[in-house]
Amino acid sequence: MNTITEITMHDALPLMRETLNAGAPLRITAHGTSMRPLLRGGEEVELISPPARLRRYTMAFYIRSSGSFVLHRVAKVHRDGTYTMCGDNQIGLESGIAHRQILGVVTRFQSDGSWISTDNPAYRAYARRRVRSRAWRVLWGKLYRWYKRGKRREES
């Protein structure tokens, strides 16, 4: 009889680090909505051990100081070696991510059943556009909320 054993990411963390430190790629399944529209829940990403210093627009898998695991994009690299991260579907920035928190970087990901390399020029253009458009998405969200408040007042 086959049984399925589920383990938490925290339980798998030593094995994940061992795999990445040995130079082998590691596949994980993405969950959540923070990296939409690029990644939808249930699609896989392939990670490798992070380089000594990440570059802007790199998709990184890291662990927050709270212990939660996150896959977001590097929005800014700071001189002190920390990073500011942001999900593609988010407008809030997360600053102060230390390099020691980075578990791996994405080298390719699944999209509609196909694998796409992060070296793909179309993907690289998407990543730049997504990070650079954050300010416009913030502004659009504020305008939309302002408009909705006005509509509610008119209806009252």
Side-chain angles (χ1 to χ4, degrees):
M1 179 173 173
N2 291 338
T3 58
I4 297 174
T5 302
E6 289 189 29
I7 61 172
T8 67
M9 291 289 277
H10 289 283
D11 291 337
L13 185 57
L15 180 59
M16 291 167 52
R17 287 188 183 195
E18 181 182 323
T19 301
L20 292 168
N21 289 340
L26 175 70
R27 285 189 188 170
I28 61 169
T29 302
H31 296 282
T33 60
S34 68
M35 287 301 288
R36 281 188 181 172
L38 183 73
L39 298 174
R40 294 177 291 278
E43 293 179 320
E44 290 185 327
V45 298
E46 191 170 277
L47 305 170
I48 61 167
S49 184
R53 187 166 171 91
L54 302 186
R55 296 175 59 197
R56 191 173 184 203
Y57 313 124
T58 300
M59 243 191 308
F61 183 61
Y62 61 99
I63 186 166
R64 288 183 173 139
S65 52
S66 67
S68 59
F69 293 87
V70 184
L71 180 69
H72 280 172
R73 190 177 307 286
V74 176
K76 188 170 185 179
V77 178
H78 300 278
R79 289 182 186 183
D80 66 358
T82 63
Y83 306 100
T84 296
M85 310 293 264
C86 189
D88 285 357
N89 193 31
Q90 297 182 312
I91 55 174
L93 296 173
E94 184 175 3
S95 299
I97 304 301
H99 193 77
R100 71 181 179 285
Q101 293 174 261
I102 308 296
L103 301 172
V105 296
V106 176
T107 57
R108 63 186 193 140
F109 58 93
Q110 245 182 351
S111 178
D112 296 326
S114 299
W115 283 94
I116 299 172
S117 170
T118 55
D119 290 332
N120 179 307
Y123 163 77
R124 291 166 58 107
Y126 167 85
R128 284 190 303 273
R129 191 171 55 252
R130 204 65 195 172
V131 170
R132 292 175 180 171
S133 71
R134 184 187 154 277
W136 289 109
R137 289 184 282 131
V138 169
L139 177 61
W140 174 250
K142 288 180 181 180
L143 288 172
Y144 182 76
R145 285 188 295 279
W146 175 77
Y147 170 77
K148 286 300 222 183
R149 273 194 306 265
K151 290 291 271 182
R152 281 194 297 266
R153 286 185 193 139
E154 285 178 7
E155 293 171 355
S156 301

